[in-house]
Amino acid sequence: MTHGFSCSFLACLTWWVVPVMAQTYPPDHSHAGSAVEFKMPKSYGEAANEAGHRLEIIRELMETDRLDQIHGHAEVIRRVAAVAGVLALNKDSGVPREAMKDVTKAARQLVTYFEKIDTPADSGDAAGTKAAYEEMVKLAAVLQQYVPKLYACP
């Protein structure tokens, strides 16, 4: 039983991480200085919250007409979403078993939105950037609904 779980976990990990790490960009796709610092999440809640935080930053960048600064934050969302499904598998993730399919589907789709938001942002297409952003917000909301709520004693 444990061996089967290990193999399943490794297969899932490979399915999530390898395509993301193998993604390459055309030689003319340069974003010098666009990298942003972030700490790779260690829990599902951290991953979902980081994606939400970066979407807030992207919203602010769109509102102030700084589309050229979206790339780095979109990249963080892509990387975080790529591990969200694996982190959701942890028994203390807060994601109920019956929601796992929805969570992994939303996370996989969120990964694909990197190009869908980066390309129009690079070209200064505010309408295209906004359309991609709105879809990303919907996908991130699926992830967010399963983030464990912190409880504090009254």
Side-chain angles (χ1 to χ4, degrees):
M1 183 77 164
T2 304
H3 179 65
F5 176 75
S6 299
C7 291
S8 296
F9 177 75
L10 290 174
C12 185
L13 183 63
T14 301
W15 177 76
W16 273 91
V17 176
V18 172
V20 171
M21 300 314 251
Q23 185 173 3
T24 59
Y25 303 101
D28 63 341
H29 192 105
S30 174
H31 289 276
S34 67
V36 295
E37 288 188 30
F38 80 104
K39 186 177 173 185
M40 201 62 170
K42 293 185 171 134
S43 72
Y44 174 78
E46 288 177 7
N49 288 335
E50 185 68 34
H53 171 67
R54 296 302 169 160
L55 283 167
E56 283 299 312
I57 293 171
I58 289 173
R59 181 187 52 76
E60 292 170 10
L61 293 171
M62 290 187 321
E63 289 174 352
T64 56
D65 220 12
R66 296 181 290 162
L67 301 181
D68 61 324
Q69 295 178 28
I70 288 176
H71 176 90
H73 300 287
E75 172 69 17
V76 170
I77 293 170
R78 181 183 71 81
R79 292 182 63 195
V80 165
V83 298
V86 173
L87 294 171
L89 291 171
N90 291 335
K91 64 181 175 185
D92 62 344
S93 71
V95 179
R97 186 179 185 103
E98 60 274 6
M100 197 62 67
K101 183 177 178 181
D102 291 338
V103 166
T104 56
K105 180 180 177 184
R108 278 195 324 264
Q109 288 178 324
L110 196 53
V111 169
T112 69
Y113 267 87
F114 171 76
E115 286 296 327
K116 295 174 185 176
I117 197 168
D118 188 51
T119 300
D122 284 350
S123 66
D125 176 4
T129 303
K130 183 179 180 185
Y133 167 80
E134 289 172 350
E135 291 302 313
M136 292 173 78
V137 167
K138 291 176 190 174
L139 295 168
V142 173
L143 302 182
Q144 193 64 43
Q145 78 184 54
Y146 297 106
V147 172
K149 307 298 181 235
L150 297 178
Y151 176 78
C153 294

